[in-house]
């Protein structure tokens, strides 16, 4: 009986199933390429996928309220390009100030997106599609029509991505801090619970006294803030700022959340799920070149995984709803 109960708990948890899949994936790749499971290799994997991992937290919040944001990589490019040009022309030189400016620009972009969605009731996909083009164009304007800032122009800012604190890369510390903060925020704060409530049933949330419009605005500002942070990380990690950086990368962020079990219809998803989904994508991106597959296969496998996960999520949800209905009837 106990064994059956334990199995049921494992198979009923998306996060547990994903963790098992990740462990199997790690083991299989290590057999093929033993160099994969080394501290340096794993650190490089996390560092190179830091942007997606950090921004998945913002997308988690957006998807929890039943929204979507495809303008995030344009926000990232605008934020990153802005600090790149400021550093290039020596208007600023301080690394901390550069991060603050990038996050402020990202937050402002998120505010504009959130205002249009929450106040004008424009569908999120339409609003963010429009802003995707607007912010990307603004990034080109900031770059003076296509200039880019290379390693030499960035000064000491590029050193952030190579700095180690307690033996761990500074970029990885950013990932850890972000996930710890969001874990507590989503699980144990009233605001976190309000986000889940709005996604589960906006009408009921409104009746219970939650200002749904403000929650929507706040969620898109959080997404913008993390996109700005992602822009600063992108510039530091790759030691360059270009107006077309991370074009199309928003799909990876959305995929990380979907693979992690975040519902597209809102109300369901966890920080742990977003983390595991991001790690699965990071592992695929790192492992496939090691075993001889090219980028085409990475996208193919990514697409198949999304389709499989969505189907599994739908099946699991139907089973859960059926069990809940039986429980009420009994």
């Amino acid at each position: 009986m106990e064994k059956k109960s334990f199995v049921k708990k494992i198979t009923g948890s998306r996060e547990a199933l994903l963790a098992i899949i990740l462990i199997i994936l790690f083991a299989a790749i290590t057999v093929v390429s033993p160099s994969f499971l080394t501290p340096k290799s794993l650190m490089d994997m996390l560092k190179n996928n830091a942007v997606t991992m950090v921004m998945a937290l913002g997308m988690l919040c957006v998807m929890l309220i039943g929204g979507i944001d495809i303008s995030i990589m344009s926000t990232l490019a605008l934020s990153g390009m802005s600090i790149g040009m400021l550093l290039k022309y020596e208007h600023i030189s301080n690394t901390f100030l550069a991060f603050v400016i990038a996050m402020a620009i990202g937050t402002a972009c998120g505010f504009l997106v959130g205002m249009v969605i929450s106040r004008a009731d424009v569908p999120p996909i339409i609003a963010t599609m429009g802003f995707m083009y607007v912010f990307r164009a603004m990034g080109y304007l900031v770059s003076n029509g296509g200039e880019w800032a290379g390693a030499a122009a960035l000064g000491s800012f590029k050193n952030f991505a190579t700095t180690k604190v307690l033996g761990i890369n500074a970029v990885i510390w950013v990932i850890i801090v972000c996930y710890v903060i969001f874990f507590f925020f989503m699980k144990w704060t009233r605001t976190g619970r309000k986000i889940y409530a709005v996604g589960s049933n906006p009408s009921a949330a409104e009746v219970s006294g939650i200002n749904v419009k403000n929650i929507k605005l706040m969620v898109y500002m959080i997404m913008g803030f993390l996109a700005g942070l992602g822009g600063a990380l992108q510039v530091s990690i790759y030691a360059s700022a270009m107006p077309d950086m991370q074009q199309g990368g928003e799909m990876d962020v959305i995929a990380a959340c979907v693979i992690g079990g975040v519902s597209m219809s809102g109300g369901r998803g966890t920080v742990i799920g977003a983390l595991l989904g991001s790690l699965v994508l990071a592992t695929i991106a790192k492992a496939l070149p090691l075993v001889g597959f090219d980028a085409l296969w990475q996208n193919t496998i990514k697409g198949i995984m999304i389709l499989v996960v969505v189907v599994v999520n739908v099946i699991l949800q139907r089973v859960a709803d059926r069990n809940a209905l039986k429980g009420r009837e009994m």
Side-chain angles (χ1 to χ4, degrees):
M1 249 340 243
E2 287 181 9
K3 187 176 180 181
K4 188 177 179 182
S5 175
F6 174 75
V7 171
K8 190 178 285 187
K9 283 181 181 180
I10 293 295
T11 55
S13 167
R14 292 181 180 87
E15 289 82 4
L17 280 171
L18 201 54
I20 292 169
I21 291 169
L22 195 59
I23 291 168
I24 294 170
L25 199 57
F26 266 57
I29 296 164
T30 304
V31 169
V32 177
S33 177
S35 63
F36 172 74
L37 203 61
T38 61
K40 185 182 183 304
S41 177
L42 294 176
M43 292 291 182
D44 286 343
M45 181 183 79
L46 292 174
K47 178 182 166 183
N48 292 334
N49 291 275
V51 171
T52 298
M53 294 184 73
V54 167
M55 292 175 66
L57 289 167
M59 190 60 71
L60 164 68
C61 296
V62 169
M63 290 174 67
L64 280 174
I65 63 165
I68 197 74
D69 190 345
I70 60 171
S71 69
I72 53 174
M73 289 310 176
S74 296
T75 300
L76 174 147
L78 174 58
S79 303
M81 198 66 234
S82 296
I83 62 170
M85 296 304 282
L86 288 172
L87 290 163
K88 180 176 180 177
Y89 291 104
E90 299 181 348
H91 296 301
I92 60 172
S93 59
N94 184 274
T95 297
F96 178 74
L97 179 59
F99 269 91
V100 170
I101 291 172
M103 291 184 288
I105 292 171
T107 304
C109 291
F111 175 78
L112 290 174
V113 173
M115 285 296 288
V116 170
I117 292 171
S118 65
R119 265 57 183 184
D121 287 327
V122 177
I125 187 66
I126 302 299
T128 59
M129 186 185 297
F131 278 112
M132 176 179 70
Y133 291 111
V134 171
F135 295 153
R136 186 66 70 173
M138 288 174 68
Y140 275 95
L141 287 174
V142 168
S143 70
N144 295 325
E147 279 188 42
W148 64 289
L154 296 175
S156 61
F157 181 76
K158 65 181 180 296
N159 297 334
F160 178 82
T162 57
T163 302
K164 288 190 176 182
V165 180
L166 301 176
I168 298 175
N169 189 281
V171 173
I172 297 174
W173 276 116
V174 171
I175 299 172
I176 293 169
V177 169
C178 286
Y179 272 89
V180 169
I181 290 173
F182 269 81
F183 181 79
F184 282 95
F185 172 69
M186 298 304 296
K187 197 170 182 68
W188 284 300
T189 68
R190 289 182 63 189
T191 306
R193 289 192 290 272
K194 286 178 181 179
I195 292 172
Y196 278 101
V198 169
S200 298
N201 193 326
S203 300
E206 194 81 61
V207 170
S208 66
I210 297 173
N211 190 320
V212 174
K213 289 184 177 181
N214 282 350
I215 291 294
K216 287 183 177 180
L217 175 60
M218 180 196 70
V219 160
Y220 281 97
M221 287 179 70
I222 290 172
M223 182 71 261
F225 173 85
L226 291 173
L229 174 58
L233 290 173
Q234 172 82 15
V235 172
S236 183
I237 292 168
Y238 296 100
S240 65
M242 294 175 285
D244 63 345
M245 54 188 168
Q246 284 286 355
Q247 201 153 15
E250 57 277 346
M251 292 302 113
D252 282 346
V253 178
I254 295 169
C257 291
V258 172
I259 291 170
V262 184
S263 172
M264 295 289 287
S265 58
R268 295 186 183 90
T270 65
V271 171
I272 299 298
L275 173 62
L276 291 170
S278 299
L279 287 174
V280 167
L281 285 185
T283 303
I284 291 170
K286 176 75 175 178
L288 292 186
L290 289 177
V291 296
F293 288 104
D294 58 20
L296 175 63
W297 277 104
Q298 291 181 38
N299 292 329
T300 303
I301 291 172
K302 201 183 299 178
I304 292 170
M305 284 191 67
I306 292 170
L307 290 172
V308 170
V309 168
V310 169
V311 170
V312 169
N313 281 346
V314 169
I315 292 171
L316 287 175
Q317 192 53 52
R318 286 178 179 173
V319 171
D321 291 343
R322 198 179 299 122
N323 290 339
L325 183 61
K326 285 181 181 179
R328 283 196 294 269
E329 288 175 351
M330 287 176 67

